[in-house]
Amino acid sequence: MKLSKLIGERFKDKPTDCVIDSHALMMRGGYMKDIAKGIYSQYPPLKRICQKIENIIREEMDAIDGQEVLFPVVMSSTIWEESGRYESIGQEMLRFTDRNGAKMLLGMTHEEAAVHLVRDYANSYQNYPFMIYQIQTKFRDEARPRAGLIRVREFTMKDAYSFHTSQEDLEAYYQVVYDAYNRIFARAGVPEVITVASDSGMMGGSVAHEYMLLTPVGEDSLAICEDEACDYRANMEAAKSIINNQKNGSDEELKEVYTPNIQTIEEICGFLKTPLEQSCKAVIYQKNVDDEFVVIFIRGDLDVNETKLTNYLGEAVHPGVITPECGLHAGYTGPVGLKVAGKPTVIYDESLKGTNNLSCGANKDEYHYTGLCMERDIPDAEYVDVAKITEGGICPKCGKPTITIKRGIEVGNIFQLGTKYTKSMHMTYLDADGKEQTPIMGCYGIGVGRLAASVCEAHHDEYGPIWPISIAPWQVHLCCLRADDQATHDFADKLYADLQKQGVEVIYDDRNARPGVMFSDADLLGVPIRLVVSPRNMGEGVVEVVTRDKSVQEKVATGEIIAYTNELINKLSGK
């Protein structure tokens, strides 16, 4: 490819709406162009990168007996109504009606389509196990798309679905996919990706893992044990919060205290001159279905984990709106004498179990209690874990206070779905005894564009991406300085042709541009190997070879440059 013919522009200034480096560099480098919020067109460099990622994925999926299929982007609501998700999924799923009035949707995931495809075929135990996968466009109507390809509305994803006749078989294959994913990310240039236990969310299932690239700009918070002997890692949404509750001396009398113009937990603890740990705060939600109140009491220094909460309730919630007639008192709600209109759900977090001498709201404006003893004053309380794990918290695996909180980008996920979809969609098979059984499913996803952006986020400098050769848009960037010099231009043209004959992927900057412009564009394209042909180099009988990461800077004789370049490609490719 000649750079003079490459569509797309490269420019110096960072776009004002780019919040992370990968987004800014890919916009500046002519990789993509936004057509709407969270929806991008791809220029050739990004398309080539994504194709290479897809090829890596295909090779690894085929190696574990995956069979590639293709599901439609547009689906009828019928199969989603079978699974029960047509109504349960919120506004993230784009619904519409066709010209005949039929209810349709844009696929944001394809579990239903997978079951629909194979349920007539897989009616005997002899057809199991098997795995099908696709690489397809999906649409998720994100409320706040951001960070370029990290959080988008339209995206390309590899999703795979395996079908099994036993939990043991699913678990064995789950490990096979787990290992294949590690190979995919290593081949794509991010071997530093880690796995964390996660919540299965709308997908369902009991066991799930996410593949995370650790980076300060990541949207997910991860709980990681720092003890070298422990390998505990989990998304904060799934991490259990363990609190060693201790009594604070002997029980004090429950006493009402006048606390005017104080509403936050920080203000009341400051007023009483007590630590946050010695308080009980109320966090109020309402159920989405019927607006009934959910009142959570939790230790004052902790926050509610909304994923744990919705999993416990079995339904979604939103922040509570306190009105005069509901019985709640904003800033003064407490567990003693609580009265709430309707049929409220009251939850006590495990952080309060066995505690005493706490401050809490008195369910009366401008008054709090001190001396709250949970066992004495709320003897019937049942405790559940709905708190977020904290920095320095106790590790759920090794029991040491060694939890650190880090940020990460999710680049893949795997789920043990169980029978959530096969059962609801009436997929069955006959076992060896002729009895009807329900197959068990696994689900495995990788976002292609997100992975490309994540690699850029992990490997770049201030000048541009540093693409691993396995997914780089081209292997070699040939720069012809002083294209107006005939001898230089002729040699560069011949070198370009000879490299192509060798099967080398080359982007050839044949423009009569200033060296600074050429090198700036080369940095933005991030190609691993740069060959510089110039009148000075021609005079010395050499070609300058520089790798994008600056690990190689050599002058190679013109007669040896083809062989040297091939050797360097093999070396960077790990061959």
Side-chain angles (χ1 to χ4, degrees):
M1 183 70 209
K2 291 185 177 181
L3 194 57
S4 61
K5 301 296 184 182
L6 181 66
I7 65 169
E9 295 182 80
R10 289 153 298 283
F11 50 92
K12 180 178 180 180
D13 296 328
K14 177 181 177 180
T16 57
D17 60 343
C18 296
V19 297
I20 64 172
D21 290 337
S22 60
H23 185 195
L25 293 173
M26 294 175 85
M27 292 297 289
R28 286 180 53 209
Y31 290 84
M32 60 192 191
K33 185 176 183 179
D34 57 316
I35 198 168
K37 276 193 172 182
I39 303 175
Y40 294 89
S41 296
Q42 295 183 4
Y43 287 113
L46 179 57
K47 178 61 176 173
R48 293 174 67 91
I49 290 167
C50 289
Q51 282 180 323
K52 290 186 176 183
I53 291 174
E54 290 173 14
N55 289 339
I56 291 171
I57 291 171
R58 280 192 176 94
E59 289 172 6
E60 293 295 342
M61 291 297 99
D62 291 348
I64 58 173
D65 297 325
Q67 302 179 63
E68 186 169 6
V69 300
L70 188 65
F71 303 122
V73 177
V74 177
M75 289 176 276
S76 167
S77 67
T78 306
I79 57 174
W80 287 71
E81 288 167 345
E82 283 186 62
S83 72
R85 289 206 298 177
Y86 185 73
E87 296 295 340
S88 64
I89 291 180
Q91 294 180 333
E92 291 84 4
M93 186 164 71
L94 187 61
R95 302 164 174 85
F96 62 98
T97 55
D98 66 14
R99 65 195 303 167
N100 298 312
K103 293 187 294 184
M104 310 294 286
L105 58 92
L106 292 185
M108 55 189 292
T109 182
H110 281 82
E111 285 77 13
E112 286 83 357
V115 172
H116 176 267
L117 183 69
V118 300
R119 64 180 168 186
D120 295 329
Y121 154 77
N123 52 19
S124 168
Y125 74 96
Q126 294 176 324
N127 299 124
Y128 294 82
F130 63 91
M131 183 268 272
I132 55 177
Y133 75 94
Q134 68 162 351
I135 299 175
Q136 175 62 294
T137 299
K138 297 175 184 284
F139 187 86
R140 180 186 178 101
D141 202 5
E142 288 281 356
R144 291 175 295 277
R146 62 180 294 276
L149 298 181
I150 301 298
R151 181 170 292 279
V152 290
R153 293 197 290 163
E154 183 183 279
F155 54 97
T156 299
M157 187 171 183
K158 186 284 299 181
D159 48 328
Y161 306 94
S162 63
F163 294 80
H164 309 267
T165 58
S166 69
Q167 178 64 26
E168 292 75 19
D169 191 54
L170 168 61
E171 290 174 1
Y173 192 72
Y174 189 84
Q175 184 62 47
V176 170
V177 180
Y178 183 98
D179 294 337
Y181 267 41
N182 287 332
R183 293 193 297 272
I184 288 169
F185 296 123
R187 290 180 62 186
V190 279
E192 59 267 43
V193 166
I194 66 169
T195 56
V196 301
S198 69
D199 177 75
S200 56
M202 73 173 72
M203 302 301 181
S206 57
V207 177
H209 289 85
E210 293 170 337
Y211 289 77
M212 290 285 183
L213 177 66
L214 296 181
T215 169
V217 303
E219 293 190 316
D220 289 275
S221 296
L222 313 175
I224 299 174
C225 182
E226 289 190 307
D227 190 293
E228 293 182 358
C230 181
D231 61 356
Y232 180 79
R233 300 186 296 263
N235 194 303
M236 276 189 68
E237 294 178 344
K240 182 174 178 57
S241 175
I242 299 175
I243 304 295
N244 285 336
N245 298 331
Q246 295 179 348
K247 283 211 167 190
N248 182 29
S250 57
D251 295 346
E252 298 174 358
E253 177 186 0
L254 186 66
K255 182 179 179 182
E256 193 176 87
V257 179
Y258 180 53
T259 54
N261 300 318
I262 291 178
Q263 295 189 343
T264 69
I265 195 69
E266 290 80 12
E267 288 174 340
I268 185 59
C269 288
F271 180 83
L272 297 173
K273 295 181 174 56
T274 57
L276 288 173
E277 295 90 334
Q278 208 59 38
S279 65
C280 165
K281 70 179 177 182
V283 184
I284 299 166
Y285 295 91
Q286 286 175 275
K287 296 179 180 178
N288 286 0
V289 174
D290 54 17
D291 273 344
E292 290 289 358
F293 281 97
V294 179
V295 183
I296 301 123
F297 292 107
I298 188 171
R299 205 173 75 180
D301 61 322
L302 302 177
D303 294 317
V304 172
N305 184 322
E306 292 188 7
T307 299
K308 290 182 184 178
L309 174 61
T310 54
N311 287 344
Y312 174 75
L313 294 172
E315 55 187 296
V317 296
H318 59 272
V321 179
I322 298 177
T323 59
E325 62 273 12
C326 73
L328 294 167
H329 298 261
Y332 300 97
T333 300
V336 178
L338 177 67
K339 294 180 181 179
V340 189
K343 299 178 180 179
T345 300
V346 181
I347 296 172
Y348 299 92
D349 183 67
E350 290 180 354
S351 59
L352 297 176
K353 187 175 183 179
T355 57
N356 67 339
N357 300 336
L358 307 176
S359 62
C360 65
N363 295 307
K364 184 166 64 172
D365 287 348
E366 301 194 331
Y367 284 88
H368 280 77
Y369 282 125
T370 59
L372 172 68
C373 174
M374 294 301 297
E375 291 179 346
R376 179 193 67 201
D377 301 320
I378 316 292
D380 298 328
E382 296 183 3
Y383 299 91
V384 295
D385 172 29
V386 291
K388 288 181 179 179
I389 196 168
T390 59
E391 182 83 24
I394 296 172
C395 174
K397 184 172 183 179
C398 69
K400 298 177 183 177
T402 48
I403 288 294
T404 183
I405 306 299
K406 295 186 177 180
R407 307 290 292 178
I409 298 172
E410 179 190 343
V411 292
N413 50 55
I414 56 178
F415 304 94
Q416 292 185 24
L417 295 178
T419 59
K420 174 179 172 67
Y421 298 95
T422 51
K423 189 172 184 179
S424 63
M425 297 181 69
H426 309 291
M427 179 179 177
T428 61
Y429 67 93
L430 296 180
D431 66 16
D433 297 323
K435 294 181 180 179
E436 194 173 80
Q437 305 287 352
T438 301
I440 302 170
M441 285 180 70
C443 170
Y444 321 92
I446 294 176
V448 175
R450 177 180 282 194
L451 179 53
S454 298
V455 174
C456 179
E457 194 64 43
H459 301 289
H460 72 272
D461 57 22
E462 61 182 308
Y463 305 108
I466 304 174
W467 296 112
I469 200 165
S470 58
I471 66 168
W474 295 274
Q475 296 168 317
V476 172
H477 191 127
L478 173 60
C479 294
C480 177
L481 304 188
R482 289 286 309 277
D484 58 339
D485 181 84
Q486 192 63 45
T488 303
H489 190 272
D490 289 346
F491 179 83
D493 280 354
K494 185 177 186 305
L495 180 56
Y496 174 55
D498 290 345
L499 287 168
Q500 287 185 306
K501 289 176 184 177
Q502 293 281 320
V504 177
E505 301 169 11
V506 190
I507 180 74
Y508 173 27
D509 194 342
D510 58 331
R511 302 171 300 171
N512 189 19
R514 298 190 309 274
V517 172
M518 279 193 175
F519 294 153
S520 176
D521 284 354
D523 285 339
L524 283 170
L525 289 172
V527 175
I529 300 170
R530 188 180 309 174
L531 305 183
V532 181
V533 177
S534 68
R536 176 182 293 180
N537 287 336
M538 289 295 93
E540 297 177 14
V542 299
V543 174
E544 188 176 353
V545 182
V546 182
T547 53
R548 178 64 183 84
D549 64 3
K550 303 299 189 289
S551 62
V552 174
Q553 298 186 58
E554 299 284 350
K555 288 187 176 182
V556 179
T558 55
E560 300 173 4
I561 189 61
I562 298 290
Y564 182 91
T565 301
N566 279 321
E567 289 177 7
L568 185 54
I569 289 171
N570 289 334
K571 179 181 178 182
L572 295 178
S573 301
K575 295 179 182 179

